[in-house]
Amino acid sequence: MPSIRAARYHRCGVPREVLQVDELAPVLPGENEVMVQMLSAPINPADLNLIEGKYGEARPLPDVPGNEGCGRVVAVGAGVDRSWVGRMVLVADQAWRESGNWPVAGVVAVPDGLSAGRATVLRVNPPTAWLLLHQFTTLRPGDWVLQNAATSAVGRAVIEIARHRGWKTLNLVRRAAAAEEVRALGADAVVVDGEDMAATAQEMLGGAVPRLALNAVGGVSATRLAGLLAPGGTLVTYGAMSKEALKIPNGFLIFRDLLFRGFWLTRWLRAAPPDQVSSLFDQIFRLAASGCFAPRVVAEFQLGEVSAAVTRAEEGGGKVLLRLGG
Ligand SMILES: NC(=O)c1ccc[n+]([C@@H]2O[C@H](COP(=O)([O-])OP(=O)(O)OC[C@H]3O[C@@H](n4cnc5c(N)ncnc54)[C@H](OP(=O)(O)O)[C@@H]3O)[C@@H](O)[C@H]2O)c1
């Protein structure tokens, strides 16, 4: 078998400086593994954090980054039904490669009718949004959910899922220019984050007292979000785009009994029984088929251009995709 190419980092550091494309000897799929010819993979903030050595969990080096991606099964190992061959699947971890082997239990089969371009972003962010909305509070029809980083892939999925479930969203964005784009997804209210946003937000809420707030920014943005919660409400932190620590006034705990929780999809997936995982992806694929979760792609790069790709991803504005084959 010819060698395959993979993006790898041999030490943690600035992604564009430490990433290189290596030739690797291909390995036949082992027991209960499938060999996947990769098609594409997005670059997510967690990928950059992992390469920088700033993620919650380190991996042995050298490592292939890529916390999600999409490809087609081309071979199976012992114990795997041959009907997997030819199926499009989503893989988790080590996705930035032309091909590789993954345990069959960890790949997700993509239903017919979804293109690779649509499917490649469905493994991480929409499931995170779904679980953030369903795991922490029982929301009733018409209830409000608050969030920051509303332009992010998770934030956009939160808006689309909430709209589908009959919940309202109040969304903080950091650029006024992003408000219209977020409204077009179905956001009920959009406010530019800043010191004076509370009065505007409260006016938009019209007396409603939200019980759930989703935080992907940290720092004072999270404080402002929590300030809008009802007594006993929950702020779930799942990202830290500002890289600033949470700042929680004592009174939020003493007088308002707010709950501060965290969420990590990897932890949830490691603990969840297989039927819960498949039911989660059934919901995600059903919504994707109805038009939700279209990626906001700003650029596409070949694997050999991975340094340019991560540089573009750091600039933000939408997802950068790596084309890996096909
Ligand atoms: N815990 C989990 O299991 C889990 C799962 C998935 C994602 N995440 C996390 O969720 C967050 C969003 O991921 P994503 O893939 O959806 O993001 P994304 O699509 O790449 O978007 C990034 C978002 O962060 C905002 N942003 C960038 N730098 C910022 C800063 N310095 N201060 C405030 N906002 C900033 C961007 O705003 P602009 O549009 O204005 O640039 C945009 O809304 C990340 O922190 C990611 O690691 C966590």
Side-chain angles (χ1 to χ4, degrees):
M1 285 194 292
S3 62
I4 62 123
R5 294 182 312 148
R8 292 206 296 183
Y9 58 108
H10 294 243
R11 62 184 170 86
C12 290
V14 178
R16 67 177 169 279
E17 291 171 6
V18 299
L19 279 169
Q20 61 186 66
V21 178
D22 290 338
E23 299 270 338
L24 305 180
V27 179
L28 286 171
E31 191 173 356
N32 297 322
E33 284 185 342
V34 288
M35 179 185 271
V36 179
Q37 194 87 51
M38 293 301 293
L39 295 166
S40 67
I43 298 178
N44 287 325
D47 297 320
L48 303 176
N49 294 157
L50 184 75
I51 298 163
E52 288 164 347
K54 294 176 182 164
Y55 198 58
E57 205 172 68
R59 288 214 296 251
L61 300 178
D63 179 43
V64 178
N67 71 348
E68 65 175 332
C70 175
R72 208 169 277 286
V73 175
V74 290
V76 296
V80 182
D81 197 291
R82 278 205 57 78
S83 64
W84 277 93
V85 176
R87 295 206 71 165
M88 196 192 284
V89 292
L90 307 182
V91 305
D93 296 332
Q94 310 221 329
W96 297 359
R97 58 200 306 151
E98 289 172 327
S99 107
N101 299 328
W102 283 268
V104 69
V107 302
V108 179
V110 178
D112 293 341
L114 268 184
S115 67
R118 290 294 306 280
T120 196
V121 294
L122 297 181
R123 180 76 174 64
V124 171
N125 291 324
T128 297
W130 179 275
L131 293 165
L132 287 169
L133 287 168
H134 290 85
Q135 293 276 305
F136 295 92
T137 312
T138 304
L139 294 166
R140 298 175 294 251
D143 275 355
W144 284 86
V145 177
L146 312 170
Q147 67 165 342
N148 54 20
T151 53
S152 69
V154 176
R156 291 161 62 88
V158 162
I159 294 167
E160 292 181 299
I161 296 167
R163 189 190 51 175
H164 170 78
R165 303 281 279 136
W167 304 321
K168 293 181 172 175
T169 56
L170 185 139
N171 301 276
L172 305 191
V173 294
R174 58 177 185 155
R175 299 171 286 118
E180 203 40 56
E181 174 196 333
V182 173
R183 266 189 218 104
L185 286 169
D188 297 279
V190 187
V191 190
V192 178
D193 200 355
E195 277 173 24
D196 51 356
M197 73 87 189
T200 314
Q202 261 148 2
E203 197 177 316
M204 289 177 167
L205 288 169
V209 276
R211 290 175 295 120
L212 180 65
L214 308 174
N215 165 43
V217 175
V220 288
S221 175
T223 316
R224 288 194 279 262
L225 212 49
L228 297 170
L229 277 170
T234 302
L235 180 115
V236 186
T237 294
Y238 67 96
M241 290 304 300
S242 72
K243 297 192 164 71
E244 285 172 16
L246 289 180
K247 295 183 173 67
I248 303 170
N250 297 315
F252 280 17
L253 296 160
I254 301 167
F255 301 114
R256 297 178 48 217
D257 196 18
L258 297 186
L259 289 173
F260 294 87
R261 303 283 308 272
F263 176 79
W264 188 32
L265 179 68
T266 304
R267 184 174 58 232
W268 187 89
L269 287 170
R270 282 176 188 161
D275 61 321
Q276 268 185 40
V277 176
S278 35
S279 135
L280 169 65
F281 281 103
D282 285 350
Q283 303 281 4
I284 297 306
F285 289 138
R286 201 166 44 78
L287 286 171
S290 74
C292 292
F293 316 138
R296 195 172 50 135
V297 177
V298 290
E300 295 190 34
F301 292 86
Q302 303 289 343
L303 180 60
E305 305 168 308
V306 68
S307 292
V310 290
T311 303
R312 178 64 191 87
E314 281 165 349
E315 288 163 16
K319 283 294 168 211
V320 170
L321 294 188
L322 283 175
R323 283 197 295 264
L324 303 170

